[in-house]
Amino acid sequence: MPAHFNPFQIAQQQLDEAAARLELAPALHAFLREPMQEVAFTLPVMMDDGSYEVFQGFRIQYNTARGPAKGGIRFHADETVDTVRALAAWMTWKTSLMDLPLGGGKGGVVCDPRSLSPSEIERLSRGYMRKIAHLVGPEEDVPAPDVYTNPQIMAWMLDEYEAITGRHQPGVITGKPVHLFGSQGRSDATARGGMYTVREAAQALGINFEGAAVAIQGYGNAGQYAHKLGCELLGLKTVAISDSRGGIYNPHGIDYAAASAWKQRTGSLAGFKDADALTNAELLELPVAILFPAALEAVITAENAPRIQARVIAELANGPTTPEADQILYDKGVFVIPDFLCNAGGVTVSYFEQVQNAYNFYWPLAEVHARLDAIMTKAFREVHEMAQARQVHNRLAAYLVAVARVAEAVVTRGWVR
Ligand code: GLU
């Protein structure tokens, strides 16, 4: 993300536009512009050589009017308190748009997990949970994975929480391994939910995307599963993929099994055979039908938006497009499936995981898929109808649906009138 973009300012700017259209009362608008509660702390961790390093950690509960705070934990070197605030705000609008009985939150640690050993990451994860244990719980705040965190890290955090509280409480955290109270279908849920929204977009636009070329920026959980499921579910042809070190391009298509095995073996996509190298910036501007930003914030800006050639942008990342770029894309006729709609499959199956944990009864995969499809499809249609009715771009339409629900809960509770 370019240094001059502050994601929280962007999140507030997006909210301001929705608040104006919804004619929210000034105090209600002011309340929704800020997190309800945030904690920041230092996190000393013993390294493998016996030395200590001190990291900075955050947990932010943005809004709990509609239910317990919900949202992931990110381990990233560029993390800032404002990144976490923005991500927590977007979680609030995401759970609302999906109509889940949850609020929004997010957490993070400023660190480069790629330079840490597995045992250092375990101590960091357990230390993080010790710092937030008094704030989280199935009825307060439920963390999950985000960038550079995974099911193993969720398992360590669950174990630490249960050691502290002395109780079995798997619903304190989601995205756990399936064999340790996780849900079937959580691992590919973000990309799968995104594919359901792409399918709906194709129908709304009257376009057949079978065999269409797509580019995927980012090759973590969302990006890799988008590559796999794009092919399996929609018959898409992935011609370009990238990770933080750069990308690869082959107009005839890149095989998922070969590319993911290469990434697994070498740690990056660089040097993959049968493809040309390209930069992340070049990938975004390729002549493709669908572009999947699946990495970090603010990669589509006023600077490069005029050169984007995709017909559809399906945002698997959180916050990849700036407000200025949104307007440019809308004017150009690019159909954007906004982040907190497109990538909401992850938190939706996290919610299913919590439900299963609460009942101590677990669903088969087909049930997870069917329920996810129903929720994603309903949300897509609500956003699409709002966009058409109000003649606004899809992101603003999604905000209008989501913010209205949160505002209604806040007012009905009597917090702000
Ligand atoms: N980190 C994911 C997101 O941004 C998932 C959050 C969750 O499952 O709670 O939506």
Side-chain angles (χ1 to χ4, degrees):
M1 180 180 57
H4 57 283
F5 287 107
N6 178 324
F8 188 45
Q9 275 170 11
I10 289 174
Q12 288 185 317
Q13 189 183 336
Q14 292 164 339
L15 171 69
D16 292 347
E17 199 169 348
R21 301 244 182 186
L22 292 168
E23 298 178 16
L24 294 190
L28 179 56
H29 177 198
F31 182 71
L32 295 178
R33 280 187 110 240
E34 301 291 338
M36 286 174 61
Q37 179 164 237
E38 44 183 56
V39 292
F41 44 85
T42 50
L43 195 54
V45 177
M46 193 181 77
M47 299 290 105
D48 289 343
D49 65 3
S51 68
Y52 278 79
E53 271 190 39
V54 181
F55 298 93
Q56 219 188 345
F58 308 99
R59 183 71 193 171
I60 295 182
Q61 295 162 345
Y62 194 87
N63 193 289
T64 54
R66 289 175 46 86
K70 184 84 194 79
I73 298 166
R74 178 179 291 195
F75 289 173
H76 201 282
D78 298 334
E79 192 87 325
T80 67
V81 66
D82 275 339
T83 314
V84 185
R85 286 178 179 137
L87 293 164
W90 290 326
M91 284 310 303
T92 303
W93 315 135
K94 193 181 306 189
T95 55
S96 173
L97 186 64
M98 296 300 116
D99 213 1
L100 307 176
L102 294 167
K106 205 83 176 196
V109 178
V110 185
C111 66
D112 179 7
R114 289 172 304 180
S115 70
L116 299 174
S117 73
S119 56
E120 288 166 345
I121 291 179
E122 177 175 355
R123 288 193 290 276
L124 178 76
S125 304
R126 289 184 183 276
Y128 181 83
M129 179 49 88
R130 284 197 295 278
K131 288 288 185 180
I132 65 164
H134 63 292
L135 293 171
V136 299
E139 287 161 2
E140 290 85 22
D141 180 0
V142 184
D146 196 77
V147 173
Y148 288 131
T149 54
N150 58 34
Q152 174 63 74
I153 291 174
M154 301 303 109
W156 287 325
M157 289 190 180
L158 169 67
D159 184 66
E160 195 67 24
Y161 182 80
E162 292 187 341
I164 291 167
T165 60
R167 293 168 61 196
H168 173 61
Q169 260 178 330
V172 68
I173 199 161
T174 59
K176 301 179 292 291
V178 174
H179 60 271
L180 202 74
F181 314 108
S183 176
Q184 298 282 351
R186 177 63 184 84
S187 56
D188 71 10
T190 304
R192 179 175 295 272
M195 291 307 150
Y196 294 153
T197 66
V198 169
R199 181 198 65 204
E200 291 303 305
Q203 204 187 2
L205 295 168
I207 299 176
N208 180 0
F209 283 125
E210 179 93 37
V214 311
I216 303 171
Q217 192 214 22
Y219 216 58
N221 172 283
Q224 283 192 45
Y225 278 117
H227 190 178
K228 179 172 189 276
L229 296 177
C231 176
E232 283 176 15
L233 298 181
L234 302 178
L236 304 175
K237 182 176 72 174
T238 297
V239 297
I241 52 180
S242 67
D243 60 22
S244 58
R245 296 184 183 119
I248 53 174
Y249 176 54
N250 181 343
H252 303 296
I254 297 170
D255 179 59
Y256 164 73
S260 59
W262 179 263
K263 165 100 181 162
Q264 184 80 24
R265 197 163 66 245
T266 67
S268 92
L269 295 167
F272 180 71
K273 59 174 172 34
D274 299 336
D276 299 324
L278 89 174
T279 65
N280 270 288
E282 289 165 341
L283 178 143
L284 297 171
E285 298 173 20
L286 286 173
V288 291
I290 307 172
L291 172 64
F292 290 96
L296 296 172
E297 306 86 50
V299 294
I300 302 172
T301 66
E303 195 278 316
N304 62 1
R307 297 190 299 275
I308 299 263
Q309 300 186 62
R311 176 73 181 88
V312 170
I313 298 179
E315 297 182 338
L316 291 171
N318 289 308
T321 307
T322 66
E324 295 71 29
D326 265 329
Q327 196 55 48
I328 294 167
L329 296 170
Y330 185 56
D331 293 342
K332 269 169 59 121
V334 179
F335 190 91
V336 175
I337 310 174
D339 50 3
F340 65 89
L341 171 62
C342 187
N343 71 30
V347 74
T348 300
V349 178
S350 274
Y351 165 64
F352 297 161
E353 184 172 325
Q354 259 204 298
V355 170
Q356 295 168 79
N357 291 153
Y359 278 90
N360 204 16
F361 179 78
Y362 289 81
W363 306 347
L365 184 61
E367 184 165 351
V368 171
H369 288 170
R371 288 183 185 274
L372 175 63
D373 196 345
I375 288 178
M376 299 300 302
T377 300
K378 178 166 172 281
F380 179 93
R381 289 182 186 165
E382 283 169 343
V383 170
H384 189 54
E385 276 163 28
M386 179 66 86
Q388 288 184 316
R390 305 282 289 245
Q391 287 297 299
V392 295
H393 58 66
N394 290 334
R395 187 178 327 276
L396 182 50
Y399 264 93
L400 294 175
V401 175
V403 173
R405 285 184 188 146
V406 178
E408 187 183 28
V410 168
V411 170
T412 309
R413 283 178 180 276
W415 288 351
V416 181
R417 274 191 257 258

